[in-house]
Amino acid sequence: MKEFFERVRRATSGRSADRGAGADGSDPEESDGPAESGAAVTDGGVATGSDRGGTTGDDPGALRRAFDRIDDRLGRDFVESSPFWLPAFLLMGFFVYGAIGWNVLISLTDYRGFGTVDYSQLDFDMYVRAFQSSAVQQAAINTFVLLLGFTIVCLIFGMLLAILLDRRVRYDNSLRLIYLLPMSLSFVVTAQFWLWMYDYSNGIVNQVLGLVGLGPYNFIGNPQLVLGAVIFALVWQYSGYAMVVYLSALRAIPDEHFEAAKVDGASVVRMYWRVIVPQLRSATISAAVVIMVFALKAFDFLYSLVGGYRPPNGADILATLMVREAYQNTNWAYGSAIAVILFMMALAVIGPYLVYQYRNDAL
Amino acid sequence: MSQLQLDKLTKVFTDDDGSDIVAVDGVSIDIEDGEFLVLVGPSGCGKSTTLRMVAGLETVTSGDIRLGDRTITDQKAQERDIAMVFQSYALYPHMTTRENMSFGLEESTDMSTDEIYDRVEQAAELLGIAALLDRKPTELSGGQQQRVALGRAIVREPEVFLMDEPLSNLDAKLRSSMRTELQRIQEDLDTTTMYVTHDQTEAMTMGDRIAVLNDGRLQQVGTPLECYHRPANRFVGGFIGEPSMNFFEMTVEGDRLVSDRLNYPLSAETADAVAGSDRVTLGIRPEDIEIVDRPADDHAFETVVDVVEPRGNENSVYLMFGDQETEENPETFVAIVNGMSRVEAGEPVVAHVPEDAVHLFDADSGDALRNRVLDDLDETEPRV
């Protein structure tokens, strides 16, 4: 632990020393830059502008311009406003990004069992081990299937529900509530609830299927069915969310678009397919991102389904594997490596969305 | 291209509390092949509902709609072969101009892609939007969007165009230039057109005929000048024309009309026309009131100028009767005079109300009892 802080201190002081040297050495005028620009503001900015323009030729000028640009971007009240954003910034930085960083660091060690972490030997052994492990591969595939299957089914189902509700069926307010209610349940409740529904001998699903001469199926015990059963239960819980997102997007489309399409001769299905659904693109993206993140967090559902670290065969996902490795087998470093892989998957989902939002100035 | 017939068309909406609201009440209009008919009326008069029934976007409570020789009353909107231009344009935001214009053809016909491409190019050429074909609606100005909306209707080459206040989202200058352009296009294509507006100027300038609607009832169908000079009732007289016709409530006393402030003698001919009524409404268009120096005959009245609105070519002069000067809200009436004449607020003037130009309406029913005298209406017709 001591070594770690030592290392961090050395790294940071080195970096700041570097920067100090660079700033001092490259441009002697830099130190009185702020005073100069402060004075210049009172007698008009033109003089400073031309002044700075004069030094553009060489490297120090470019550096200074970059600094100016940062100043411009952060604004003049950067320091004055810091009491408002700095505490949150620091807390967030420490507890979220600091923790992520620490987790990455642990994943590079060989830490396992009880004892202290040894940071002296950092390597990618755990990642190599993870990528070679068939358990991790299977869990990654399951995670991927769950992610895609759950998201796609949820979106399609939610969109169909929203379209039906948008066509002003009777009691649409109460229907909306009924569809949205499952989302307020905790995963623990949903898991227990569906465990009963899927019960081999008494479960209502098998009872109903029995009426039409099917089954009974062992939904939880059969490794081929269990992932589908889990996806179905999650869709039941989250399609209401997709529906609400789609419904508000649908309500924002003016009636004239529906009417114009009708007058243009499009059938109802064609109208939705060509005119309405394409306009739901941004709703799809935002709903998909939220649902995918839920899918990656399906750990509590699977944990509650069996009441333990070992989910049913065929339903092991990275999240359950990660927790099992870390807390059951005390393979801390290995668990951390799986956590980083999971984090990267989540980032791959949410990253493009953030970039998209940023480009559209929505962030 | 066909004749469009509305036969006793009625639309009744049922309110939430179960009461019935009659939006359109027995409207019958025959629109000739290639005719430009303007449906005009104040907000909520049922003109848009009528148009939407023709489009198939509202169900018909009773009555019939016939297009050519087929009855389309119960047909779906998709099957009617009608194109509609919406007030909000209703362009599909995710499609380019070209895709917007092709959509109708792709959905309603089995034309090949090449044919559709040619048709769209042609229509875009006609409307001067060929350069905008690959842009999205958000990249177009209001006027350009309007043209695309029009283009989307034109490429279909439908039997009927329906237009629901298509110009009301444009600024005044653009609106007046689009007005003429729309007329030109309609004349070129010679397609039966039903055009809804609340703007009587649009109705007057664009329509071959005007249908005036109020409270769901058809008030009058006629050429713009017929509606202007021979209003069937007081509503039409007041609605068509800007500024509106002046109205005075009068009592018939033998061969003269009397009110608190006016005493208007009638010729024998006019007196016959109002013989059956006790109370009538006298209507006179602002441009027919003459402002003179001194009373020439007993159709002239002493007034005081309240407000003058100069408009360059002409002035609107708001007049009130002399004895109202001390009142809070004096009852004023409008005269239009030449822009060059000097009239100042507060000035006493004499208003001459020529009997030839006077309209008389029954005070209860509002029906016209006598319209102004015109030498020959047909001579003032701009087109037949």
Side-chain angles (χ1 to χ4, degrees):
Chain A
M1 214 53 178
K2 228 167 146 192
E3 274 176 38
F4 168 62
F5 283 118
E6 195 61 40
R7 193 189 290 257
V8 168
R9 193 158 60 224
R10 238 184 299 136
T12 49
S13 69
R15 210 184 310 142
S16 66
D18 252 338
R19 194 167 47 194
D24 290 342
S26 58
D27 190 355
E29 283 176 0
E30 185 65 18
S31 54
D32 55 20
E36 184 189 289
S37 68
V41 168
T42 52
D43 55 24
V46 184
T48 20
S50 61
D51 214 312
R52 283 177 188 173
T55 57
T56 45
D58 49 7
D59 208 24
L63 190 69
R64 190 166 155 178
R65 262 185 296 128
F67 276 30
D68 279 346
R69 216 172 297 142
I70 290 168
D71 267 0
D72 282 348
R73 175 155 292 187
L74 294 178
R76 274 225 301 241
D77 50 1
F78 183 70
V79 178
E80 288 95 317
S81 65
S82 59
F84 299 96
W85 55 263
L86 196 60
F89 183 79
L90 288 178
L91 286 172
M92 182 85 178
F94 184 76
F95 286 109
V96 176
Y97 297 99
I100 291 172
W102 195 12
N103 181 68
V104 171
L105 200 63
I106 289 173
S107 74
L108 298 175
T109 66
D110 296 326
Y111 185 33
R112 68 183 306 273
F114 300 102
T116 51
V117 203
D118 176 15
Y119 291 105
S120 60
Q121 192 102 52
L122 299 183
D123 50 37
F124 289 96
D125 278 358
M126 287 303 157
Y127 292 95
V128 174
R129 185 175 146 196
F131 283 122
Q132 282 170 351
S133 148
S134 66
V136 172
Q137 285 166 9
Q138 192 52 51
I141 291 170
N142 285 347
T143 306
F144 202 65
V145 169
L146 182 70
L147 189 73
L148 282 187
F150 169 53
T151 309
I152 291 169
V153 175
C154 218
L155 289 177
I156 292 174
F157 196 59
M159 185 185 285
L160 290 178
L161 280 179
I163 287 173
L164 288 180
L165 284 191
D166 189 51
R167 293 189 70 81
R168 284 165 227 275
V169 290
R170 263 162 191 277
Y171 318 115
D172 72 340
N173 271 335
S174 28
L175 278 180
R176 200 172 356 162
L177 188 69
I178 288 170
Y179 287 124
L180 195 55
L181 262 184
M183 216 186 112
S184 66
L185 296 177
S186 116
F187 267 143
V188 180
V189 177
T190 321
Q192 206 56 49
F193 174 77
W194 280 95
L195 200 59
W196 292 335
M197 302 268 281
Y198 284 142
D199 189 273
Y200 184 74
S201 40
N202 301 318
I204 193 162
V205 178
N206 275 324
Q207 300 279 349
V208 170
L209 288 177
L211 289 181
V212 290
L214 290 170
Y217 296 105
N218 191 353
F219 288 107
I220 305 297
N222 185 342
Q224 313 225 281
L225 291 180
V226 64
L227 200 58
V230 167
I231 288 175
F232 189 86
L234 291 175
V235 166
W236 173 83
Q237 186 163 16
Y238 279 98
S239 56
Y241 171 76
M243 176 205 73
V244 169
V245 173
Y246 278 128
L247 195 58
S248 64
L250 278 172
R251 295 266 153 102
I253 297 175
D255 288 346
E256 283 86 2
H257 288 183
F258 294 83
E259 292 174 349
K262 264 193 231 168
V263 175
D264 270 347
S267 64
V268 173
V269 175
R270 301 279 297 167
M271 171 182 82
Y272 274 101
W273 182 244
R274 292 198 60 193
V275 176
I276 304 305
V277 173
Q279 294 193 47
L280 299 176
R281 198 172 134 236
S282 62
T284 305
I285 291 172
S286 51
V289 167
V290 172
I291 290 172
M292 281 178 170
V293 171
F294 277 125
L296 290 173
K297 295 197 300 185
F299 166 78
D300 25 3
F301 182 85
L302 289 166
Y303 184 89
S304 328
L305 203 60
V306 289
Y309 288 127
R310 177 73 226 177
N313 258 340
D316 199 15
I317 61 171
L318 284 175
T320 48
L321 184 64
M322 163 189 87
V323 174
R324 199 164 63 243
E325 285 297 342
Y327 294 96
Q328 195 173 36
N329 305 339
T330 62
N331 289 326
W332 307 109
Y334 189 47
S336 293
I338 297 172
V340 171
I341 294 170
L342 186 57
F343 177 64
M344 287 302 156
M345 284 178 77
L347 211 59
V349 168
I350 204 147
Y353 172 70
L354 293 180
V355 170
Y356 168 82
Q357 292 286 62
Y358 185 76
R359 291 233 178 95
N360 289 349
D361 271 344
L363 215 63
Chain B
M1 272 158 279
S2 300
Q3 188 190 36
L4 177 66
Q5 285 180 306
L6 314 188
D7 186 10
K8 299 199 190 79
L9 205 54
T10 300
K11 175 71 187 179
V12 180
F13 289 107
T14 306
D15 212 1
D16 286 339
D17 57 13
S19 59
D20 283 350
I21 299 163
V22 182
V24 177
D25 191 358
V27 169
S28 299
I29 311 173
D30 286 359
I31 305 166
E32 298 303 323
D33 190 1
E35 189 181 26
F36 195 122
L37 181 107
V38 178
L39 206 55
V40 69
S43 304
C45 71
K47 55 191 190 300
S48 283
T49 311
T50 308
L51 194 77
R52 291 168 57 83
M53 282 194 284
V54 177
L57 299 172
E58 298 281 358
T59 54
V60 174
T61 309
S62 71
D64 268 327
I65 306 168
R66 279 185 293 276
L67 182 57
D69 43 16
R70 56 192 176 115
T71 303
I72 58 169
T73 319
D74 298 316
Q75 257 180 354
K76 282 187 179 172
Q78 284 91 336
E79 296 155 5
R80 292 193 182 192
D81 195 15
I82 279 174
M84 183 160 171
V85 179
F86 292 84
Q87 182 176 2
S88 61
Y89 315 142
L91 300 178
Y92 312 128
H94 58 288
M95 296 187 192
T96 61
T97 300
R98 184 191 303 282
E99 287 164 343
N100 262 291
M101 288 170 69
S102 316
F103 182 80
L105 289 177
E106 288 165 7
E107 293 298 329
S108 64
T109 67
D110 43 14
M111 288 170 72
S112 71
T113 321
D114 287 346
E115 282 175 283
I116 292 176
Y117 187 94
D118 288 344
R119 274 245 204 134
V120 170
E121 290 284 332
Q122 255 177 344
E125 213 60 59
L126 178 73
L127 290 161
I129 51 172
L132 309 175
L133 279 174
D134 293 315
R135 295 211 204 152
K136 294 254 174 91
T138 44
E139 299 162 332
L140 302 176
S141 72
Q144 290 168 336
Q145 290 185 24
Q146 216 282 326
R147 279 162 196 269
V148 175
L150 213 55
R152 195 166 65 175
I154 288 172
V155 286
R156 297 264 315 277
E157 295 183 8
E159 296 201 43
V160 177
F161 284 136
L162 302 178
M163 306 197 184
D164 191 1
E165 311 215 11
L167 304 182
S168 60
N169 287 358
L170 301 178
D171 62 69
K173 266 263 184 287
L174 201 53
R175 195 181 314 160
S176 67
S177 70
M178 276 310 282
R179 227 160 44 200
T180 39
E181 187 160 340
L182 206 57
Q183 266 178 289
R184 176 181 66 78
I185 291 167
Q186 198 270 342
E187 252 163 67
D188 282 0
L189 300 173
D190 201 28
T191 305
T192 314
T193 304
M194 198 168 165
Y195 184 106
V196 158
T197 180
H198 64 270
D199 180 352
Q200 59 88 28
T201 320
E202 273 175 31
M204 286 293 291
T205 52
M206 297 177 79
D208 292 331
R209 280 193 304 158
I210 303 181
V212 185
L213 225 63
N214 186 34
D215 272 343
R217 287 214 180 82
L218 193 61
Q219 306 292 319
Q220 185 170 6
V221 186
T223 65
L225 291 181
E226 264 168 27
C227 292
Y228 189 81
H229 292 303
R230 298 193 180 284
N233 56 37
R234 181 186 158 152
F235 176 82
V236 177
F239 191 81
I240 304 288
E242 172 66 36
S244 329
M245 189 183 269
N246 297 296
F247 293 111
F248 302 96
E249 303 299 330
M250 312 286 264
T251 315
V252 182
E253 288 183 6
D255 60 349
R256 47 182 57 233
L257 301 177
V258 181
S259 77
D260 293 351
R261 302 194 170 92
L262 287 177
N263 188 332
Y264 197 88
L266 299 174
S267 65
E269 201 183 331
T270 317
D272 278 351
V274 297
S277 311
D278 295 340
R279 292 179 303 112
V280 296
T281 305
L282 184 154
I284 177 87
R285 293 230 176 253
E287 66 270 23
D288 291 329
I289 298 179
E290 297 161 42
I291 292 186
V292 292
D293 293 335
R294 60 177 61 84
D297 55 22
D298 48 7
H299 288 154
F301 307 94
E302 306 262 354
T303 59
V304 177
V305 178
D306 185 24
V307 179
V308 180
E309 284 178 352
R311 257 189 265 145
N313 60 339
E314 56 188 26
N315 294 338
S316 298
V317 182
Y318 289 80
L319 303 165
M320 57 185 173
F321 292 106
D323 58 355
Q324 281 182 305
E325 272 178 283
T326 50
E327 281 180 30
E328 279 277 302
N329 298 308
E331 189 190 338
T332 62
F333 60 102
V334 196
I336 289 181
V337 300
N338 189 294
M340 292 301 173
S341 65
R342 296 277 156 77
V343 194
E344 302 263 343
E347 200 178 309
V349 293
V350 174
H352 180 240
V353 181
E355 194 182 339
D356 276 358
V358 160
H359 299 263
L360 293 172
F361 305 100
D362 188 278
D364 298 320
S365 67
D367 289 345
L369 300 171
R370 174 212 190 251
N371 275 317
R372 65 162 306 156
V373 177
L374 282 175
D375 298 337
D376 187 0
L377 187 63
D378 292 337
E379 274 179 23
T380 51
E381 283 288 309
R383 56 184 157 178
V384 184

